[in-house]
Amino acid sequence: MSRIGKLPIKIPDGVQVKLDGNNVDVTGPKGNLSHQVNPGISITIVDEGVVVSCKKENDRVQRALWGLNRSLVANMILGVSTGFNCDLEVMGVGYRAEVVGKEIVMNVGYSHPVHVPIPDDVQVSVEKNVRIKVVGIDKQKVGQVAADIRRVKIPDPYKVKGVKYANEQIRRKVGKAGA
């Protein structure tokens, strides 16, 4: 029995959940999201919220998908009600970033500026040329855009230069010891 899958999902005020076969549509103040649930998983709406259950509890694959689908539906409900954000920091002398149109332009020590496209349903803002904030309703897309921005220049453990998550701790390494 899945410990995560059996927990009911509370529906906050202003959020509507609609079921259409295997399709789940969630509408809230920030937007709407939809997800197609695996056929071995059933979803019902009850008084306390949304309950996700497994049709075959003795099937190992279905039990694994049970908790996954519950987490995906819970993230959809949380996303349309409050949204998700991810903060990044650009570290290094002369390193900077700016939003130009639908892409972020970064100067991070290469001989050319790097352009990273921004999807339509994700908003990116830059504060003081070094703090990047990624905001959206879909947790997967927000995380993927933040990972794509970080991948431009992964922080160096020797000089600690690059793009890092705001809450990430970079472990410094000692360079060569001179004789």
Side-chain angles (χ1 to χ4, degrees):
M1 180 141 218
S2 174
R3 284 181 259 168
I4 293 174
K6 66 183 178 182
L7 297 174
I9 306 165
K10 294 182 181 177
I11 301 174
D13 295 334
V15 176
Q16 296 177 344
V17 179
K18 294 180 184 175
L19 300 174
D20 182 29
N22 289 344
N23 233 3
V24 178
D25 294 323
V26 180
T27 305
K30 294 204 177 254
N32 57 354
L33 292 171
S34 64
H35 173 68
Q36 187 166 1
V37 179
N38 192 292
I41 306 298
S42 65
I43 296 181
T44 56
I45 299 175
V46 293
D47 293 338
E48 62 265 8
V50 178
V51 176
V52 180
S53 59
C54 186
K55 293 180 181 174
K56 298 179 186 176
E57 289 192 25
N58 57 358
D59 187 8
R60 188 177 182 141
V61 175
Q62 295 302 321
R63 281 195 323 247
L65 293 173
W66 181 11
L68 170 73
N69 283 298
R70 190 259 180 213
S71 294
L72 291 174
V73 172
N75 285 338
M76 288 169 46
I77 291 173
L78 185 62
V80 298
S81 61
T82 59
F84 295 101
N85 65 345
C86 188
D87 298 326
L88 297 120
E89 294 178 359
V90 179
M91 300 181 339
V93 177
Y95 288 16
R96 63 185 181 275
E98 63 180 341
V99 176
V100 178
K102 290 301 290 176
E103 61 185 12
I104 185 166
V105 179
M106 302 174 67
N107 293 319
V108 286
Y110 298 124
S111 62
H112 59 282
V114 180
H115 301 270
V116 179
I118 302 170
D120 292 333
D121 50 353
V122 175
Q123 294 83 30
V124 177
S125 61
V126 178
E127 299 169 1
K128 298 182 182 177
N129 291 332
V130 294
R131 298 195 189 278
I132 303 170
K133 186 169 188 144
V134 183
V135 179
I137 62 172
D138 190 356
K139 186 175 186 178
Q140 191 270 333
K141 285 188 180 179
V142 169
Q144 186 63 48
V145 169
D148 290 342
I149 292 171
R150 184 180 182 272
R151 192 177 303 128
V152 169
K153 185 79 170 190
I154 296 174
D156 178 31
Y158 296 101
K159 298 180 182 176
V160 191
K161 293 166 69 174
V163 181
K164 73 175 192 81
Y165 295 112
N167 57 359
E168 182 181 10
Q169 296 290 327
I170 306 296
R171 294 181 70 184
R172 286 284 309 230
K173 288 186 176 180
V174 180
K176 276 204 258 180

